[in-house]
Amino acid sequence: MKVVNFGSINIDHVYRVEHFVRPGETLRSDDYKVFSGGKGANQSIALAHAGIQVVHAGKIGKDGVWLKHKLERIGVDTDLIETAEAPTGHAIIQVNKDGENAIIIHGGANESIVDDDIQSVLDSCEVGDCLLLQNEINGVDKILIEAKKRGVRVIFNPAPVTEAVKRYPLDSVDTFIINVVEGEMLTAEKEPKKIIASMQTRYPMSKIVLTLGKEGVIYADSEHLLSKKSLDVDVVDTTGAGDTFIGYFLASLINGEEIEKCLEMGVRASAICVTRRGAADSIPKKEEINM
Ligand code: RIB
């Protein structure tokens, strides 16, 4: 069983700032670095580090070939990554002194997915495979329709969330992995417990994972309602923490672990991620996680 992750690949431009820039303000940054990123690619890297066979599908520009090579070195299958005319997607990321981030993304090549790409990626899914999706590429609604037709198990992380996500055919999603912002957009509820309840009413067959940042995570399905607290660590940079959680949680789920253990793996991996700078580069390897 493998994961096919149809998702973004970004070049992250990361600026360390005293505070997030305000309207009309010109702000000097203390430090600037370029990292590899993209919610999709980060999640593929976390899965590969966790020992799962993962095929990443997506698009880069000619300026992003180094990102493809990096994924290959880490053990991600990159046969379904194509080079487009558009430049590679990128992110402008401010990280403040508390390690929080504010991110602007530009889709670039991530948004040049055409119907033929969707067909070939879905054709590569075999019975029992998982299709992992985020919301940083175009065509996610079409991908969901094709996945439903073929009975593919979909894990959906609707980030970054937009109004349009509410109109996606979400009824066939096996597992939603959302944060409070995404949960509020999908349900119009603000309280975590109400978000969970509303998601369960709307999507009774789905599993719901609601991440709460430093408050931890809640998991719900028709039989379980579980929560797990985050670990107390010195936070340097939270970028990629959600992606790390997703990769490690999903890896444990695929390996048939109990939900409790899946949540624990995700929480431990993301606790290590936030103590390091950058997104993809801060994702720990399996042997770094003490279980
Ligand atoms: O989740 C973190 C990621 O969001 C960054 O790597 C950035 O590229 C944006 O996609």
Side-chain angles (χ1 to χ4, degrees), residues 27-286:
L27 185 65
R28 190 179 289 278
S29 73
D30 305 327
D31 185 51
Y32 164 70
K33 284 198 170 58
V34 176
F35 291 104
S36 63
K39 294 183 196 305
N42 297 341
Q43 292 174 25
S44 283
I45 290 172
L47 282 158
H49 281 335
I52 295 293
Q53 189 193 345
V54 54
V55 178
H56 191 96
K59 289 199 172 175
I60 50 172
K62 294 187 187 76
D63 56 337
V65 175
W66 64 277
L67 296 166
K68 183 172 171 180
H69 290 156
K70 180 168 183 160
L71 286 166
E72 271 160 19
R73 280 198 303 276
I74 288 169
V76 175
D77 183 329
T78 62
D79 286 353
L80 294 176
I81 297 179
E82 290 190 10
T83 307
E85 282 307 310
T88 303
H90 74 264
I92 303 290
I93 305 181
Q94 301 175 59
V95 178
N96 72 10
K97 57 183 170 31
D98 297 322
E100 298 165 324
N101 62 51
I103 305 180
I104 299 172
I105 54 166
H106 176 73
N110 294 315
E111 293 182 4
S112 61
I113 308 296
V114 296
D115 291 353
D116 281 353
D117 300 323
I118 295 174
Q119 293 303 326
S120 15
V121 173
L122 270 290
D123 283 349
S124 75
C125 293
E126 292 163 315
V127 178
D129 287 350
C130 290
L131 179 67
L132 174 61
L133 299 171
Q134 312 76 31
N135 198 36
E136 279 188 345
I137 58 171
N138 68 301
V140 174
D141 48 351
K142 289 185 181 173
I143 299 169
L144 286 165
I145 290 167
E146 283 303 314
K148 184 175 181 176
K149 274 192 215 158
R150 297 163 190 241
V152 175
R153 180 182 177 194
V154 175
I155 319 295
F156 186 36
N157 168 223
V161 73
T162 55
E163 276 287 335
V165 174
K166 290 196 269 189
R167 297 187 291 277
Y168 289 0
L170 297 175
D171 52 308
S172 61
V173 171
D174 176 87
T175 305
F176 288 93
I177 307 183
I178 56 176
N179 64 18
V180 174
V181 175
E182 291 139 16
E184 185 178 345
M185 175 69 93
L186 291 174
T187 65
E189 298 288 356
K190 286 186 179 359
E191 289 294 315
K193 280 185 186 156
K194 289 187 177 170
I195 292 173
I196 291 278
S198 175
M199 287 293 289
Q200 287 193 296
T201 305
R202 285 159 202 259
Y203 311 108
M205 306 307 285
S206 307
K207 305 169 189 77
I208 316 293
V209 183
L210 178 63
T211 59
L212 305 170
K214 56 180 189 272
E215 303 304 323
V217 58
I218 304 176
Y219 172 92
D221 63 25
S222 53
E223 291 168 20
H224 305 84
L225 179 60
L226 299 168
S227 63
K228 179 74 56 193
K229 288 212 179 318
S230 290
L231 302 183
D232 194 13
V233 292
D234 290 330
V235 177
V236 173
D237 181 354
T238 54
T239 314
D243 302 325
T244 303
F245 174 88
I246 291 169
Y248 273 89
F249 171 82
L250 184 55
S252 298
L253 202 64
I254 288 169
N255 286 334
E257 308 283 4
E258 297 285 324
I259 298 297
E260 182 84 29
K261 171 114 187 270
C262 302
L263 295 173
E264 181 77 28
M265 275 304 273
V267 161
R268 283 179 183 263
S270 53
I272 296 173
C273 169
V274 300
T275 63
R276 301 169 178 173
R277 295 192 181 185
D281 293 299
S282 65
I283 300 170
K285 301 204 171 63
K286 198 175 180 182

